[in-house]
Amino acid sequence: MWTDERVARWRETAEQTGAFLDGVAEHRLYPMFHLMVFRGTRRGESCGLPWRETDMTACTVHISEQLVAVSYDV
């Protein structure tokens, strides 16, 4: 439920997220950060996304695999 408290918290977080993305705009991983923020991919899905599942023309990705960390080994 979108209570007043949750809406207020979401607005705070949205501002922080925007500031973060502005701050890393020139970073080599910016496209991955952008994907994670706006499409909600998990870390393992974003890091394990193969180029063959990425269509830059259609602006789509197909999540077909992910990286999984077991202990400290990936």
Side-chain angles (χ1 to χ4, degrees):
M1 297 243 44
W2 284 100
T3 63
D4 291 340
E5 290 176 32
R6 288 183 178 175
V7 169
R9 178 67 182 141
W10 175 81
R11 287 188 174 138
E12 290 172 13
T13 305
E15 290 176 16
Q16 291 173 353
T17 303
F20 168 76
L21 288 175
D22 289 345
V24 297
E26 300 300 320
H27 193 279
R28 67 182 183 87
L29 296 178
Y30 178 80
M32 184 181 74
F33 297 142
H34 193 275
L35 176 69
M36 293 172 80
V37 165
F38 288 105
R39 294 294 176 236
T41 59
R42 296 176 182 94
R43 180 182 60 190
E45 294 169 339
S46 297
C47 294
L49 182 64
W51 278 110
R52 69 180 179 276
E53 300 293 348
T54 304
D55 185 339
M56 300 298 270
T57 304
C59 298
T60 60
V61 295
H62 181 256
I63 305 297
S64 60
E65 55 191 78
Q66 68 176 334
L67 297 178
V68 178
V70 178
S71 181
Y72 289 100
D73 299 321
V74 178

